[in-house]
Amino acid sequence: MSTARTIAPAARSQRSRRDNIHGWAFSAPFLVFFLMFLVWPMISGAVMSLTGKSLTGANSGFIGLANYTEAFADSDMWRSLGNTLYFTLISTVPLVVIALALAAIVNMGLPAQWLWRLSFFSPFLLASTVVSLFFAWMYNPELGLFNDLLAKLGIPPVAWLNDPAVAMWAIVIATVWWTVGFNFLLYLAALQNIPQQHYEAASLDGAGGWRQFFSISLPQLGPTTVMIVILQILASLKVFDQIYQMTEGGPGGATRSIVQYVFEAGFTGYRLGYSAAISYIFFGLILVIALAQVFITRKRSA
Amino acid sequence: MKQVDSRPMQMTRRQLLLGGGVLAGSLSLGASLTGCGGAAQAAANDIRFWHLLSGGDGIKMMAMIDKVNADHPDFRIKPTVLAWGAPYYTKLAMASAGGRPPEVAVMHAARVPGYAPGGLLDAWDLDLLAEFGVRPEDFGPRIWEKSQFNGQVFSLALDSHPFVMLYNTELADKAGVLGKDGRLAGISSPSQFLEVSRELQRVTGKHGLSYGYLGDGAQMWRLFYTLYRQHGADFVLDPGKPAQVERDVAIDCLEFITSLLDNTISTKSGDGGTAIAEFASQGSGLLFTGVWELPTMKTAGVPLGASTIPTLFGTPAAFADSHSFVLPHQVTLDETKRRGVYQFVASMLKGSLSWAEAGHIPAYQPVVKSKEYAALTPQADYAHAADIINYDPEAWFTGSGSDFQGYFAENVQNVFLGRDKAADGWDAFMKRINTVLAMPNPV
């Protein structure tokens, strides 16, 4: 710092200009893609949401906020949004809690650690199509594994993907099995970073395993938990693949996500303008959630 | 998305080296973002052909294309197979709207009203077609009528593929429901049908009828529309107006189907795969399905009979659609290629006897009237279905694999499962359809 003060103003500005050029040069590849695939689509999407543009190329021109007025009165839009929020709620909780539990168990020093890590994480590497196919077979009401197990326990069959009350849970079960490994790894890494001395000191003071977990591990995992929750909420809000492949949004629209509704409005219903309007409404909602999270976490860390 | 160019890429060493050179050159010039012309450009006599036929149908289609290619060295058909339903139709629409469509494609005839008015399709030139020996009178009247839109011919049907009933002749014989001619004895009322199904159930000990519908709007709609049309009832969709339907008839049909799904005659919880497996393993005597399932059952060794769905409500009727050839709109038309397309389609129609082996009824009448076709059993037993077929009600959002069938499933599946009243499910479906009809037509 002290050397900077001694440099003449002219030299400093020359250097900062050079820094600037280097900075732009280094960022350019990223910026090009950022502008091409994020900023430009966002602008053209916003413009499109104000038109009656159709997938077939017909463009009925500027129609103002008509698409938005229609969307706000569209019960299917609200229902899909509600389904998405419901999925986010019931998937985020187990995806965080189970990941933590699995990480804590593995971190206790089980033999063959690599085997546990591999078996918890490997489902995450599968394509959503593969996972959906597996589970659709296992959920098959007549031939599936799940109902077969239930039958052996004397429990009547469940229409996993065809009962509106059960279908979303069935998808959550598949999703948890598929993706919990990622959060598990994050938790495991964080757990292994907690200095061993804390535990040694605690056990000298006579703290048992549970006490150590709640008083040392959990508080130390705070920042990791915040990060996992945020990432998970955003991931769950974007749910589409596994639902589309397992139920196509059925039965009776009970599992249709907002992303699927955007897809249907635009690509099978041809109404690109309307579809863009719905995605902007969804975008607004995500923005609100993201800002709320920033606000809450900032308050916490302050 | 599944996108298969079913012809293996054949590249000579020189092409590979040249391609590598071009790639390296473009990289060194920093031009890699400007897109690639060379490698993607088709040869001058290549005709791109998109279709949606996979599985056994796809293999048959490929063999037919190979034959046409072998017979006509002046062009080469390059097929691209895309997944059935929304993936296929959205891609076809986007490619056409974006100005890069294939020269020829297969569509379901009932989907044409969603494409033709938007300028995504070109009309067929009947004079040019006649030059290659295909004339309007070569098609059955219902199929030919369907090929028109606004007075022009937009689609040329390769087949019609109705929803039919397959039966197991051995089980039917044991149940005593076969006629003297070895075919299922005439069933002409709902109660008769229930009785025959129960007899068959007694023989199999499992179910009388296999009908997989769960999670499959197309399958629910096919049976419903067959029975609805058997009542002689109309189903008219006019954008801007509410749907014109006969509510009582519709509810009656839904209730009848629900009565079949009583876990004795047929399982309440059957999807497509379950039904096929059940019928193939002789766990039932009847199967409601599309004709395209015929080869599967033959391979499975089921002693097979086939007929249209029995006329239970007075008027013979069967739901069907047609795989039809269409001309996606070309921004710059290549006359030579277009002639090739006509030649190709004419050859496919004339060679459609091998398409009949996949279960479909050829649309091209000279094939249907041939001796070879008459010898094809049980296909020949339902050939008359082409006279009683009913395509989806006409609108831009109907047809095979469309949202319309999805809406139907959304509101009717719970009726079939016994959770909703037929009237409630129907009214909810109509509410949805009327909403769509009230929207501005995006085509």
Side-chain angles (χ1 to χ4, degrees):
Chain A
M1 280 300 132
S2 59
T3 51
R5 228 172 271 153
T6 60
I7 293 172
R12 196 199 304 172
S13 87
Q14 201 182 1
R15 196 176 123 179
S16 78
R17 197 177 307 139
R18 213 174 42 227
D19 279 357
N20 260 342
I21 292 169
H22 287 163
W24 283 110
F26 273 112
S27 332
F30 170 76
L31 276 177
V32 167
F33 281 92
F34 180 72
L35 292 172
M36 259 178 28
F37 294 112
L38 202 75
V39 177
W40 172 241
M42 276 180 73
I43 295 169
S44 68
V47 173
M48 197 189 284
S49 74
L50 304 174
T51 70
K53 192 172 171 54
S54 151
L55 182 72
T56 61
N59 188 344
S60 65
F62 183 78
I63 53 169
L65 294 174
N67 283 329
Y68 289 92
T69 347
E70 187 185 334
F72 279 113
D74 180 352
S75 59
D76 282 330
M77 201 271 303
W78 289 114
R79 185 153 181 233
S80 311
L81 205 54
N83 288 340
T84 304
L85 293 177
Y86 180 58
F87 174 84
T88 304
L89 184 75
I90 64 174
S91 66
T92 300
V93 174
L95 277 170
V96 174
V97 174
I98 294 176
L100 175 62
L102 294 179
I105 292 168
V106 171
N107 196 44
M108 284 190 328
L110 293 174
Q113 281 246 359
W114 64 271
L115 179 67
W116 299 102
R117 257 179 276 175
L118 180 73
S119 51
F120 292 149
F121 184 70
S122 52
F124 186 71
L125 302 173
L126 296 175
S128 70
T129 30
V130 176
V131 175
S132 306
L133 213 55
F134 278 170
F135 274 86
W137 280 333
M138 292 197 290
Y139 285 139
N140 185 301
E142 294 275 302
L143 312 164
L145 176 71
F146 285 126
N147 277 355
D148 195 48
L149 290 176
L150 291 185
K152 283 187 180 124
L153 299 171
I155 301 169
V158 175
W160 293 97
L161 296 173
N162 295 293
D163 184 339
V166 182
M168 194 63 103
W169 287 95
I171 287 166
V172 166
I173 291 171
T175 308
V176 169
W177 179 83
W178 177 31
T179 60
V180 76
F182 185 72
N183 294 348
F184 156 77
L185 268 202
L186 291 179
Y187 265 131
L188 192 63
L191 275 173
Q192 289 174 345
N193 271 339
I194 299 173
Q196 209 49 43
Q197 294 93 312
H198 293 191
Y199 294 105
E200 283 163 16
S203 62
L204 283 180
D205 288 341
W210 286 109
R211 180 82 210 175
Q212 288 182 18
F213 180 75
F214 282 106
S215 300
I216 301 172
S217 308
L218 217 46
Q220 296 267 347
L221 289 176
T224 308
T225 303
V226 169
M227 179 183 73
I228 289 178
V229 168
I230 291 176
L231 289 179
Q232 191 54 56
I233 288 178
L234 292 178
S236 287
L237 282 172
K238 291 190 293 187
V239 67
F240 172 70
D241 309 19
Q242 63 267 45
I243 295 185
Y244 191 68
Q245 287 161 30
M246 280 197 266
T247 65
E248 286 188 40
T255 59
R256 181 191 279 119
S257 69
I258 187 75
V259 178
Q260 185 183 336
Y261 196 60
V262 168
F263 166 74
E264 284 176 6
F267 289 97
T268 64
Y270 301 155
R271 304 180 67 208
L272 290 181
Y274 186 58
S275 160
I278 302 169
S279 47
Y280 267 83
I281 293 170
F282 182 45
F283 176 64
L285 178 86
I286 291 188
L287 208 62
V288 168
I289 293 176
L291 288 177
Q293 280 171 337
V294 169
F295 182 71
I296 291 166
T297 49
R298 194 178 277 165
K299 227 177 167 185
R300 255 223 195 137
S301 55
Chain B
M1 285 293 157
K2 286 171 225 158
Q3 183 164 352
V4 188
D5 188 340
S6 39
R7 201 166 270 279
M9 200 148 64
Q10 288 156 354
M11 213 183 223
T12 64
R13 201 155 71 137
R14 184 175 297 174
Q15 277 173 320
L16 186 69
L17 290 173
L18 188 67
V22 170
L23 186 66
S26 67
L27 277 179
S28 66
L29 289 168
S32 55
L33 275 178
T34 55
C36 38
Q41 203 120 67
N45 64 344
D46 277 354
I47 291 174
R48 286 169 306 150
F49 170 47
W50 284 17
H51 70 81
L52 39 62
L53 300 152
S54 55
D57 281 358
I59 294 167
K60 263 271 169 303
M61 177 54 79
M62 196 61 228
M64 288 171 72
I65 293 170
D66 283 343
K67 187 169 180 312
V68 175
N69 276 337
D71 293 347
H72 300 281
D74 44 327
F75 59 81
R76 207 172 73 109
I77 299 296
K78 288 193 80 176
T80 299
V81 190
L82 296 153
W84 190 92
Y88 181 78
Y89 283 108
T90 54
K91 282 198 184 70
L92 191 62
M94 282 193 285
S96 301
R100 304 186 66 186
E103 278 83 27
V104 57
V106 162
M107 267 179 73
H108 288 95
R111 292 299 298 261
V112 171
Y115 288 75
L120 296 181
L121 300 178
D122 289 340
W124 288 91
D125 175 352
L126 294 187
D127 295 336
L128 187 53
L129 207 56
E131 231 177 88
F132 295 106
V134 176
R135 291 146 314 171
E137 53 269 32
D138 293 331
F139 296 86
R142 284 197 182 224
I143 294 176
W144 185 248
E145 191 191 321
K146 189 68 197 169
S147 68
Q148 332 248 335
F149 193 81
N150 282 345
Q152 283 181 298
V153 175
F154 277 103
S155 64
L156 286 177
L158 173 64
D159 64 28
S160 63
H161 46 274
F163 194 61
V164 294
M165 181 172 82
L166 303 184
Y167 56 92
N168 185 316
T169 48
E170 220 168 86
L171 295 174
D173 195 22
K174 267 189 217 158
V177 293
L178 272 194
K180 286 200 186 87
D181 58 353
R183 298 195 169 98
L184 206 60
I187 302 171
S188 57
S189 74
S191 58
Q192 253 179 325
F193 183 80
L194 295 178
E195 192 145 326
V196 168
S197 306
R198 287 200 191 101
E199 289 297 333
L200 282 164
Q201 193 272 335
R202 264 169 229 136
V203 174
T204 63
K206 207 174 165 198
H207 293 122
L209 161 75
S210 295
Y211 170 51
Y213 70 96
L214 279 183
D216 187 347
Q219 191 75 350
M220 288 183 233
W221 171 252
R222 287 166 188 150
L223 181 57
F224 168 81
Y225 199 53
T226 297
L227 299 177
Y228 180 86
R229 293 291 293 160
Q230 287 193 356
H231 284 82
D234 279 333
F235 200 120
V236 182
L237 302 176
D238 254 343
K241 285 188 229 159
Q244 298 149 57
V245 292
E246 290 190 34
R247 181 170 179 268
D248 293 344
V249 170
I251 292 170
D252 191 45
C253 294
L254 292 179
E255 279 170 350
F256 175 68
I257 297 172
T258 311
S259 76
L260 298 175
L261 303 169
D262 63 352
N263 284 336
T264 308
I265 291 178
S266 182
T267 174
K268 207 187 276 285
S269 46
D271 62 6
T274 321
I276 288 165
E278 185 178 73
F279 184 77
S281 62
Q282 322 236 354
S284 71
L286 303 172
L287 174 68
F288 284 167
T289 183
V291 290
W292 53 89
E293 223 64 77
L294 200 75
T296 312
M297 294 310 158
K298 279 194 155 175
T299 313
V302 178
L304 207 58
S307 77
T308 51
I309 305 266
T311 306
L312 307 179
F313 301 103
T315 313
F319 161 88
D321 210 332
S322 291
H323 295 120
S324 300
F325 294 103
V326 294
L327 300 169
H329 176 66
Q330 306 290 319
V331 183
T332 47
L333 185 64
D334 180 333
E335 283 299 338
T336 328
K337 279 195 186 183
R338 185 136 284 186
R339 278 188 78 83
V341 167
Y342 276 71
Q343 174 81 70
F344 161 65
V345 169
S347 306
M348 292 292 274
L349 292 176
K350 290 174 188 169
S352 55
L353 181 69
S354 59
W355 191 236
E357 284 160 13
H360 312 277
I361 306 173
Y364 190 66
Q365 290 303 300
V367 170
V368 179
K369 288 179 185 141
S370 68
K371 256 190 246 136
E372 291 85 353
Y373 184 73
L376 211 58
T377 51
Q379 281 90 330
D381 287 342
Y382 56 75
H384 68 282
D387 302 326
I388 61 164
I389 52 175
N390 287 272
Y391 294 92
D392 267 15
E394 207 160 280
W396 63 268
F397 55 89
T398 59
S400 292
S402 64
D403 284 351
F404 177 72
Q405 298 183 342
Y407 301 146
F408 187 70
E410 254 176 55
N411 296 294
V412 160
Q413 177 160 298
N414 273 337
V415 175
F416 289 177
L417 285 167
R419 296 203 181 99
D420 276 353
K421 282 204 188 97
D424 295 345
W426 179 256
D427 291 343
F429 173 55
M430 275 300 118
K431 190 168 164 248
R432 187 78 180 87
I433 293 307
N434 288 332
T435 312
V436 181
L437 285 171
M439 279 195 237
N441 183 343
V443 179

